[in-house]
């Protein structure tokens, strides 16, 4: 179902994905349903493997002649790559939620036709690192929800997020990249959707890493 003009791109992505490492946290279940202790175990796994997985991501990007540094030049190159190739990372079957179930539940596992989810995860992590590189207060943290009960059933709950931002105070780049990959997956097959517009990765990093506004000057009383 791919458009003919992206057949060669699909072959390049398939070849580059062959040896990509699989993300395997200790508790491979839907984190929304995990008790906090097990969610922390998965988050510790994320932090422990953060550097090595980003090395794998940069190696993957080098097969497309891109140096995925967190500097502006690297971010722009990765963003442009994602616009072109991002829709080829996820398995597509019409009217099927298999890929979403794999992302949320680790079942089906992230191998074979679903191996591209590993790159989506690491690309989301890369975007988080770009935010952290631009905002001194930003850091990785475990998403434990907020006062709104709906937050405890949202994608990304009990998964890594970037905290220490201005507004909103947290963001979930991993889930955002996954959702954008789904939109791009539709784009390379059926064309862009007018109902679900998306921003590029550079825009997201700029939005989430924006500085706090300056304090308003107070009038002096004499």
């Amino acid at each position: 179902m791919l458009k003919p003009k992206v057949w060669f791109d699909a072959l390049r992505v398939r070849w580059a994905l062959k040896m990509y490492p699989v993300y395997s946290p200790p508790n491979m279940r839907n984190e929304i349903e995990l008790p906090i202790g097990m969610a922390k175990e998965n988050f510790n796994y994320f932090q422990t493997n953060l550097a090595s997985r980003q090395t794998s991501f940069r190696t993957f990007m080098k097969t497309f002649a891109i140096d995925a540094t967190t500097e502006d030049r690297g971010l722009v190159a990765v963003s442009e790559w994602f616009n072109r190739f991002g829709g080829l990372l996820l398995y597509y079957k019409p009217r099927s939620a298999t890929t979403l179930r794999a992302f949320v539940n680790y079942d089906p596992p992230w191998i074979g036709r679903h191996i591209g989810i590993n790159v989506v995860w690491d690309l989301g992590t890369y975007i988080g690192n770009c935010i952290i590189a631009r905002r001194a207060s930003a850091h990785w943290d475990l998403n434990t929800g907020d006062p709104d009960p709906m937050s405890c059933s949202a994608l990304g709950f009990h998964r890594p997020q970037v905290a220490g931002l201005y507004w909103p105070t947290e963001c979930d780049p991993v889930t955002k990249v996954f959702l954008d990959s789904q939109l791009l997956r539709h784009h390379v097959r059926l064309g862009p959707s007018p109902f679900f517009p998306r921003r590029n990765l550079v825009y997201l990093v700029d939005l989430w890493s924006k500085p706090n506004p300056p304090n308003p000057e107070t009038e002096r009383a004499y």
Side-chain angles (χ1 to χ4, degrees), residues 144-157:
T144 55
D146 56 43
D148 183 356
M150 293 293 293
S151 68
C152 298
S153 58
L155 287 180
F157 179 67

Side-chain angles (χ1 to χ4, degrees), residues 63-102:
T63 64
F64 298 88
I66 292 175
D67 186 8
T69 67
T70 57
E71 298 173 350
D72 289 348
R73 184 175 180 180
L75 174 59
V76 169
V78 171
S79 181
E80 292 175 349
W81 178 91
F82 185 60
N83 289 340
R84 175 176 173 180
F85 295 96
L88 302 169
L89 293 172
L90 299 179
Y91 170 69
Y92 175 78
K93 183 178 180 180
R95 296 175 295 280
S96 172
T98 301
T99 300
L100 176 61
R101 289 198 303 269

